[in-house]
Amino acid sequence: MQAILSKLREYPPKAVATVIRSLSRKNRILIGILVVAGVSVSLIYVTAPEPAVVVVEEETWPVTTMLANPAPVSPQITLYGRVETPRTALLTASVNAHVRSVPALEGQLVQEDDLLIMLDNTDAKLVVDRYRADLAEATANLESLRLQDQDNREILAHEKELYGLSQKKVQRHKQLRSNSSISEEILNSVLRESHLQAISLQAKAGLVRDFENRLARSQARLQRAEASLKEAQVQLARTEIRAPFDGKVTKVYLATGERVSVGTNLVELYDTASLEIRAPIPSRVLSKLQHALLERSDGVGLKTDVSIDGVKLNASLARLSGKVSAGHSGVDGLFKVLDESEQLVLGRAVNLILYLPPEADVVTVPIQSIYGEDRLFLVKAGRLQGITIERLGEYADNKGHFHVLVRAPELKSSDQIVTTQLTNAISGLKVSVNNEQPAIAVDHPDSSDNNS
């Protein structure tokens, strides 16, 4: 508008009046309004007050903190394992027979020596009866041999006396023959009787000398008969398939009336008293666990909590496996469950919390205190100070809150640790602490419990 007015001043007044008269009444009104508006704006701009200078203050960011309290703490690691047992039995048939009855049921708890499968034992009983008769015969033969030996020894004594008498008789007849008192024929007859008596004596003496050999043969036949009877009795006992230990039946392979042969699968069960949990151990903690197990002179493994369907069970790391499983970078840990539970079933997946050996000067902080992987902030004189920390593990308290165990040379007792996540957190950022009484970072397990 100022530009228009200055332009109009350059023209002579008469020329301006002529131009104004040439305009229509409506245009003259519009031009008048524009002139008045331009003058009003110019007056407002000229009479406006000078703006005040605004001083920008540094923004303060509210945070919450907790007090550091370094202490010995056992880090925890969460593992995922599966229930297994080194004592799984697959019972098979040892005889050829028909199945008479099947008392065992899948999933059934059994006691040691409980009947699981009953096979037909008719043939096995007949074999036992036959070998029992053989044993009786061998026993009788052995007793007869001993009685015969007694008789032979008594007869041998008599044979010796008869032989002595026959020798005296020969001597007398030889003297009579030398005097020609008897004929040659009578002497020969006496000599023949003497020789027959000598043969009889020799035969009896031979029987007595051979007694030990005949006794050994008879005893061997008796032992063979006893062994055959025991074998037959074992085969008879094998027609009754019984539980070798207290356990649970996992599978029954047959039904009543089926014919089984030697080696046929009958029933499978596992020992409920030897259940273990196998879980892969991360390689980063493997060396610590190996040293901890070697130092355990009491034979008790590292404390472990097992969670199944909300039920917490006590367990311990008993030993480490001897090889690396396929697809794993570390070895497997074998955990012994100390509590009994019906939820502990072979093959079931479970969660474990393993307590590692205690670490000294550890501070327990909430997960939101960690920035990145290895950094947290302290509040010093109202400003943030970032420090690099070493993460030692995790810990979940009794309320289920998740915490991180950290350690750093700069972290001292009663330092204020920021527990708020700030997107613009940098060292030197001005902050204000909102909590009236900072919490103390002592929400960690008692070290005495963790060493149990």
Side-chain angles (χ1 to χ4, degrees):
M1 182 58 67
Q2 291 290 341
I4 295 174
L5 292 176
S6 61
K7 271 294 186 185
L8 290 175
R9 292 191 188 98
E10 294 178 0
Y11 294 95
K14 292 183 178 180
V16 173
T18 303
V19 172
I20 293 174
R21 283 196 301 271
S22 64
L23 296 175
S24 63
R25 184 173 179 275
K26 183 183 295 185
N27 291 333
R28 288 198 300 271
I29 293 173
L30 179 60
I31 291 174
I33 292 173
L34 292 174
V35 171
V36 172
V39 173
S40 300
V41 171
S42 299
L43 291 175
I44 292 172
Y45 179 77
V46 172
T47 59
E50 291 293 331
V53 178
V54 178
V55 179
V56 180
E57 296 183 357
E58 183 179 4
E59 185 175 0
T60 302
W61 297 85
V63 295
T64 57
T65 62
M66 67 191 310
L67 297 182
N69 183 32
V73 182
S74 290
Q76 303 172 356
I77 57 173
T78 301
L79 305 174
Y80 301 94
R82 190 170 298 275
V83 181
E84 62 177 39
T85 175
R87 299 189 67 189
T88 300
L90 175 60
L91 307 183
T92 60
S94 300
V95 297
N96 300 324
H98 287 89
V99 179
R100 178 178 294 179
S101 63
V102 184
L105 298 174
E106 184 175 347
Q108 178 183 6
L109 288 172
V110 296
Q111 301 294 324
E112 184 178 355
D113 206 40
D114 282 353
L115 182 63
L116 305 178
I117 306 290
M118 182 65 193
L119 302 179
D120 184 59
N121 58 7
T122 303
D123 295 338
K125 284 184 176 180
L126 293 175
V127 175
V128 169
D129 293 340
R130 183 172 70 248
Y131 284 118
R132 186 176 284 117
D134 292 344
L135 177 61
E137 181 181 5
T139 303
N141 290 336
L142 179 60
E143 187 63 25
S144 296
L145 180 62
R146 288 196 175 97
L147 293 175
Q148 185 180 4
D149 180 63
Q150 293 178 2
D151 294 340
N152 289 336
R153 292 182 184 276
E154 293 178 0
I155 293 173
L156 179 60
H158 294 302
E159 291 286 350
K160 288 181 179 180
E161 291 180 0
L162 292 175
Y163 179 72
L165 294 174
S166 65
Q167 289 297 311
K168 292 179 180 179
K169 185 177 181 180
V170 169
Q171 292 297 328
R172 289 197 303 270
H173 281 72
K174 284 183 176 181
Q175 290 178 358
L176 293 174
R177 177 58 185 161
S178 63
N179 297 330
S180 300
S181 300
I182 59 173
S183 64
E184 185 69 25
E185 182 178 356
I186 295 175
L187 178 59
N188 291 338
S189 177
V190 172
L191 289 173
R192 183 171 62 254
E193 291 178 1
S194 177
H195 288 311
L196 291 174
Q197 188 62 44
I199 293 173
S200 179
L201 175 62
Q202 188 67 23
K204 291 300 179 182
L207 290 175
V208 172
R209 289 194 303 271
D210 192 49
F211 170 73
E212 295 298 332
N213 296 329
R214 290 184 292 127
L215 179 64
R217 287 195 296 270
S218 183
Q219 289 176 338
R221 285 192 292 269
L222 178 62
Q223 292 176 356
R224 189 180 301 110
E226 289 176 345
S228 298
L229 177 59
K230 289 181 180 178
E231 182 181 6
Q233 291 173 338
V234 169
Q235 293 297 97
L236 176 61
R238 286 174 177 172
T239 59
E240 298 180 357
I241 312 303
R242 298 185 176 274
F245 42 68
D246 297 349
K248 178 177 285 189
V249 177
T250 57
K251 189 173 182 59
V252 179
Y253 290 90
L254 43 77
T256 302
E258 292 188 36
R259 175 82 177 174
V260 298
S261 57
V262 177
T264 301
N265 293 340
L266 301 179
V267 62
E268 186 177 28
L269 70 161
Y270 66 88
D271 186 359
T272 53
S274 62
L275 289 177
E276 296 179 334
I277 299 176
R278 179 183 293 269
I281 302 295
S283 56
R284 57 184 173 86
V285 299
L286 183 58
S287 60
K288 293 182 179 180
L289 295 181
Q290 289 173 334
H291 289 303
L293 291 176
L294 290 175
E295 293 173 356
R296 293 271 173 163
S297 59
D298 54 3
V300 179
L302 297 177
K303 173 180 171 58
T304 308
D305 293 335
V306 179
S307 178
I308 305 178
D309 294 339
V311 178
K312 183 179 178 181
L313 304 177
N314 293 317
S316 64
L317 176 60
R319 62 191 187 280
L320 300 174
S321 64
K323 66 177 183 178
V324 178
S325 301
H328 296 157
S329 59
V331 300
D332 292 339
L334 297 171
F335 298 82
K336 181 175 179 59
V337 182
L338 306 178
D339 300 329
E340 295 183 0
S341 175
E342 295 182 356
Q343 284 85 2
L344 206 64
V345 180
L346 188 66
R348 184 163 190 179
V350 297
N351 296 337
L352 304 95
I353 297 178
L354 173 62
Y355 294 85
L356 300 177
E359 297 281 355
D361 298 328
V362 174
V363 177
T364 305
V365 298
I367 186 64
Q368 62 268 23
S369 294
I370 306 298
Y371 286 78
E373 291 294 329
D374 58 353
R375 191 168 179 79
L376 58 77
F377 287 92
L378 307 178
V379 176
K380 298 285 188 179
R383 296 185 179 274
L384 295 184
Q385 177 183 336
I387 62 173
T388 301
I389 49 92
E390 176 189 3
R391 295 184 63 159
L392 302 175
E394 295 79 27
Y395 163 67
D397 60 24
N398 295 330
K399 298 179 181 179
H401 299 156
F402 185 74
H403 302 270
V404 181
L405 305 181
V406 301
R407 183 168 56 197
E410 303 93 332
L411 196 56
K412 306 300 181 184
S413 180
S414 299
D415 279 347
Q416 292 193 31
I417 303 172
V418 176
T419 59
T420 305
Q421 276 286 325
L422 297 176
T423 57
N424 59 339
I426 58 172
S427 294
L429 183 67
K430 188 176 182 180
V431 294
S432 62
V433 178
N434 278 350
N435 46 312
E436 296 180 359
Q437 181 65 37
I440 301 177
V442 295
D443 192 11
H444 52 71
D446 188 354
S447 60
S448 62
D449 294 339
N450 294 333
N451 295 332
S452 62

PDB file of all heavy atoms in Angstrom, residues 330-348:
ATOM      1  N   GLY A 330      28.321 -76.543  23.080  1.00  0.00           N
ATOM      2  CA  GLY A 330      28.838 -76.976  24.369  1.00  0.00           C
ATOM      3  C   GLY A 330      28.372 -78.378  24.697  1.00  0.00           C
ATOM      4  O   GLY A 330      27.608 -78.997  23.956  1.00  0.00           O
ATOM      5  N   VAL A 331      28.838 -78.865  25.846  1.00  0.00           N
ATOM      6  CA  VAL A 331      28.443 -80.207  26.274  1.00  0.00           C
ATOM      7  C   VAL A 331      27.110 -80.116  27.008  1.00  0.00           C
ATOM      8  O   VAL A 331      26.633 -79.036  27.359  1.00  0.00           O
ATOM      9  CB  VAL A 331      29.518 -80.829  27.187  1.00  0.00           C
ATOM     10  CG1 VAL A 331      30.842 -80.932  26.453  1.00  0.00           C
ATOM     11  CG2 VAL A 331      29.681 -80.013  28.458  1.00  0.00           C
ATOM     12  N   ASP A 332      26.511 -81.267  27.249  1.00  0.00           N
ATOM     13  CA  ASP A 332      25.242 -81.329  27.961  1.00  0.00           C
ATOM     14  C   ASP A 332      25.493 -81.516  29.455  1.00  0.00           C
ATOM     15  O   ASP A 332      26.434 -82.198  29.863  1.00  0.00           O
ATOM     16  CB  ASP A 332      24.381 -82.484  27.449  1.00  0.00           C
ATOM     17  CG  ASP A 332      23.903 -82.248  26.025  1.00  0.00           C
ATOM     18  OD1 ASP A 332      23.895 -81.076  25.603  1.00  0.00           O
ATOM     19  OD2 ASP A 332      23.531 -83.220  25.341  1.00  0.00           O
ATOM     20  N   GLY A 333      24.638 -80.905  30.253  1.00  0.00           N
ATOM     21  CA  GLY A 333      24.659 -81.115  31.690  1.00  0.00           C
ATOM     22  C   GLY A 333      23.586 -82.109  32.086  1.00  0.00           C
ATOM     23  O   GLY A 333      22.486 -82.115  31.528  1.00  0.00           O
ATOM     24  N   LEU A 334      23.907 -82.970  33.041  1.00  0.00           N
ATOM     25  CA  LEU A 334      22.964 -83.979  33.533  1.00  0.00           C
ATOM     26  C   LEU A 334      22.586 -83.594  34.958  1.00  0.00           C
ATOM     27  O   LEU A 334      23.436 -83.563  35.855  1.00  0.00           O
ATOM     28  CB  LEU A 334      23.597 -85.366  33.487  1.00  0.00           C
ATOM     29  CG  LEU A 334      23.944 -85.837  32.060  1.00  0.00           C
ATOM     30  CD1 LEU A 334      24.758 -87.115  32.107  1.00  0.00           C
ATOM     31  CD2 LEU A 334      22.685 -86.040  31.236  1.00  0.00           C
ATOM     32  N   PHE A 335      21.300 -83.297  35.150  1.00  0.00           N
ATOM     33  CA  PHE A 335      20.800 -82.777  36.411  1.00  0.00           C
ATOM     34  C   PHE A 335      20.003 -83.861  37.129  1.00  0.00           C
ATOM     35  O   PHE A 335      19.119 -84.491  36.535  1.00  0.00           O
ATOM     36  CB  PHE A 335      19.910 -81.562  36.178  1.00  0.00           C
ATOM     37  CG  PHE A 335      20.617 -80.405  35.541  1.00  0.00           C
ATOM     38  CD1 PHE A 335      20.813 -80.356  34.165  1.00  0.00           C
ATOM     39  CD2 PHE A 335      21.110 -79.373  36.310  1.00  0.00           C
ATOM     40  CE1 PHE A 335      21.465 -79.289  33.568  1.00  0.00           C
ATOM     41  CE2 PHE A 335      21.764 -78.305  35.726  1.00  0.00           C
ATOM     42  CZ  PHE A 335      21.948 -78.266  34.353  1.00  0.00           C
ATOM     43  N   LYS A 336      20.308 -84.064  38.400  1.00  0.00           N
ATOM     44  CA  LYS A 336      19.582 -85.027  39.226  1.00  0.00           C
ATOM     45  C   LYS A 336      18.470 -84.299  39.968  1.00  0.00           C
ATOM     46  O   LYS A 336      18.722 -83.314  40.660  1.00  0.00           O
ATOM     47  CB  LYS A 336      20.520 -85.708  40.220  1.00  0.00           C
ATOM     48  CG  LYS A 336      19.837 -86.751  41.092  1.00  0.00           C
ATOM     49  CD  LYS A 336      20.832 -87.470  41.976  1.00  0.00           C
ATOM     50  CE  LYS A 336      20.140 -88.503  42.854  1.00  0.00           C
ATOM     51  NZ  LYS A 336      19.421 -89.519  42.045  1.00  0.00           N
ATOM     52  N   VAL A 337      17.245 -84.799  39.835  1.00  0.00           N
ATOM     53  CA  VAL A 337      16.098 -84.199  40.497  1.00  0.00           C
ATOM     54  C   VAL A 337      16.000 -84.759  41.915  1.00  0.00           C
ATOM     55  O   VAL A 337      15.981 -85.974  42.115  1.00  0.00           O
ATOM     56  CB  VAL A 337      14.798 -84.480  39.715  1.00  0.00           C
ATOM     57  CG1 VAL A 337      13.615 -83.808  40.394  1.00  0.00           C
ATOM     58  CG2 VAL A 337      14.933 -83.979  38.284  1.00  0.00           C
ATOM     59  N   LEU A 338      15.945 -83.865  42.900  1.00  0.00           N
ATOM     60  CA  LEU A 338      15.953 -84.275  44.299  1.00  0.00           C
ATOM     61  C   LEU A 338      14.559 -84.497  44.853  1.00  0.00           C
ATOM     62  O   LEU A 338      14.403 -85.161  45.881  1.00  0.00           O
ATOM     63  CB  LEU A 338      16.683 -83.221  45.148  1.00  0.00           C
ATOM     64  CG  LEU A 338      18.100 -82.869  44.678  1.00  0.00           C
ATOM     65  CD1 LEU A 338      18.698 -81.796  45.571  1.00  0.00           C
ATOM     66  CD2 LEU A 338      18.984 -84.107  44.657  1.00  0.00           C
ATOM     67  N   ASP A 339      13.540 -83.946  44.211  1.00  0.00           N
ATOM     68  CA  ASP A 339      12.158 -84.090  44.671  1.00  0.00           C
ATOM     69  C   ASP A 339      11.398 -85.026  43.756  1.00  0.00           C
ATOM     70  O   ASP A 339      11.680 -85.111  42.558  1.00  0.00           O
ATOM     71  CB  ASP A 339      11.449 -82.729  44.709  1.00  0.00           C
ATOM     72  CG  ASP A 339      12.133 -81.752  45.651  1.00  0.00           C
ATOM     73  OD1 ASP A 339      12.713 -82.222  46.647  1.00  0.00           O
ATOM     74  OD2 ASP A 339      12.089 -80.542  45.390  1.00  0.00           O
ATOM     75  N   GLU A 340      10.417 -85.719  44.307  1.00  0.00           N
ATOM     76  CA  GLU A 340       9.558 -86.585  43.510  1.00  0.00           C
ATOM     77  C   GLU A 340       8.344 -85.801  43.030  1.00  0.00           C
ATOM     78  O   GLU A 340       7.797 -84.976  43.758  1.00  0.00           O
ATOM     79  CB  GLU A 340       9.099 -87.793  44.335  1.00  0.00           C
ATOM     80  CG  GLU A 340      10.228 -88.728  44.736  1.00  0.00           C
ATOM     81  CD  GLU A 340       9.720 -89.949  45.478  1.00  0.00           C
ATOM     82  OE1 GLU A 340       8.488 -90.040  45.669  1.00  0.00           O
ATOM     83  OE2 GLU A 340      10.537 -90.798  45.854  1.00  0.00           O
ATOM     84  N   SER A 341       7.934 -86.070  41.811  1.00  0.00           N
ATOM     85  CA  SER A 341       6.787 -85.371  41.242  1.00  0.00           C
ATOM     86  C   SER A 341       6.185 -86.217  40.136  1.00  0.00           C
ATOM     87  O   SER A 341       6.907 -86.827  39.346  1.00  0.00           O
ATOM     88  CB  SER A 341       7.202 -83.997  40.695  1.00  0.00           C
ATOM     89  OG  SER A 341       6.120 -83.372  40.037  1.00  0.00           O
ATOM     90  N   GLU A 342       4.845 -86.243  40.080  1.00  0.00           N
ATOM     91  CA  GLU A 342       4.167 -86.973  39.017  1.00  0.00           C
ATOM     92  C   GLU A 342       4.339 -86.286  37.669  1.00  0.00           C
ATOM     93  O   GLU A 342       4.180 -86.918  36.624  1.00  0.00           O
ATOM     94  CB  GLU A 342       2.677 -87.109  39.346  1.00  0.00           C
ATOM     95  CG  GLU A 342       2.393 -87.955  40.583  1.00  0.00           C
ATOM     96  CD  GLU A 342       0.916 -88.099  40.856  1.00  0.00           C
ATOM     97  OE1 GLU A 342       0.119 -87.478  40.113  1.00  0.00           O
ATOM     98  OE2 GLU A 342       0.534 -88.827  41.801  1.00  0.00           O
ATOM     99  N   GLN A 343       4.646 -84.981  37.678  1.00  0.00           N
ATOM    100  CA  GLN A 343       4.841 -84.258  36.420  1.00  0.00           C
ATOM    101  C   GLN A 343       6.151 -84.618  35.740  1.00  0.00           C
ATOM    102  O   GLN A 343       6.341 -84.313  34.567  1.00  0.00           O
ATOM    103  CB  GLN A 343       4.806 -82.738  36.669  1.00  0.00           C
ATOM    104  CG  GLN A 343       3.428 -82.170  36.902  1.00  0.00           C
ATOM    105  CD  GLN A 343       3.000 -82.291  38.350  1.00  0.00           C
ATOM    106  OE1 GLN A 343       3.763 -82.781  39.176  1.00  0.00           O
ATOM    107  NE2 GLN A 343       1.795 -81.879  38.665  1.00  0.00           N
ATOM    108  N   LEU A 344       7.042 -85.258  36.479  1.00  0.00           N
ATOM    109  CA  LEU A 344       8.350 -85.605  35.922  1.00  0.00           C
ATOM    110  C   LEU A 344       8.214 -86.892  35.123  1.00  0.00           C
ATOM    111  O   LEU A 344       8.291 -87.996  35.652  1.00  0.00           O
ATOM    112  CB  LEU A 344       9.368 -85.776  37.048  1.00  0.00           C
ATOM    113  CG  LEU A 344      10.833 -85.532  36.689  1.00  0.00           C
ATOM    114  CD1 LEU A 344      11.036 -84.092  36.283  1.00  0.00           C
ATOM    115  CD2 LEU A 344      11.720 -85.863  37.871  1.00  0.00           C
ATOM    116  N   VAL A 345       7.975 -86.737  33.811  1.00  0.00           N
ATOM    117  CA  VAL A 345       7.713 -87.871  32.927  1.00  0.00           C
ATOM    118  C   VAL A 345       8.819 -87.933  31.880  1.00  0.00           C
ATOM    119  O   VAL A 345       9.301 -86.902  31.400  1.00  0.00           O
ATOM    120  CB  VAL A 345       6.338 -87.735  32.250  1.00  0.00           C
ATOM    121  CG1 VAL A 345       6.061 -88.922  31.338  1.00  0.00           C
ATOM    122  CG2 VAL A 345       5.244 -87.631  33.303  1.00  0.00           C
ATOM    123  N   LEU A 346       9.211 -89.145  31.528  1.00  0.00           N
ATOM    124  CA  LEU A 346      10.291 -89.346  30.567  1.00  0.00           C
ATOM    125  C   LEU A 346       9.993 -88.642  29.244  1.00  0.00           C
ATOM    126  O   LEU A 346       8.910 -88.764  28.691  1.00  0.00           O
ATOM    127  CB  LEU A 346      10.484 -90.847  30.325  1.00  0.00           C
ATOM    128  CG  LEU A 346      11.697 -91.252  29.499  1.00  0.00           C
ATOM    129  CD1 LEU A 346      12.968 -90.924  30.243  1.00  0.00           C
ATOM    130  CD2 LEU A 346      11.646 -92.742  29.187  1.00  0.00           C
ATOM    131  N   GLY A 347      10.979 -87.874  28.751  1.00  0.00           N
ATOM    132  CA  GLY A 347      10.845 -87.185  27.483  1.00  0.00           C
ATOM    133  C   GLY A 347      10.242 -85.802  27.575  1.00  0.00           C
ATOM    134  O   GLY A 347      10.168 -85.095  26.563  1.00  0.00           O
ATOM    135  N   ARG A 348       9.806 -85.368  28.742  1.00  0.00           N
ATOM    136  CA  ARG A 348       9.146 -84.073  28.869  1.00  0.00           C
ATOM    137  C   ARG A 348      10.161 -82.937  28.885  1.00  0.00           C
ATOM    138  O   ARG A 348      11.248 -83.052  29.471  1.00  0.00           O
ATOM    139  CB  ARG A 348       8.311 -84.041  30.145  1.00  0.00           C
ATOM    140  CG  ARG A 348       7.506 -82.762  30.294  1.00  0.00           C
ATOM    141  CD  ARG A 348       6.417 -82.903  31.302  1.00  0.00           C
ATOM    142  NE  ARG A 348       5.517 -81.763  31.265  1.00  0.00           N
ATOM    143  CZ  ARG A 348       4.455 -81.641  32.040  1.00  0.00           C
ATOM    144  NH1 ARG A 348       4.144 -82.596  32.889  1.00  0.00           N
ATOM    145  NH2 ARG A 348       3.682 -80.579  31.953  1.00  0.00           N
TER     146      ARG A 348
END
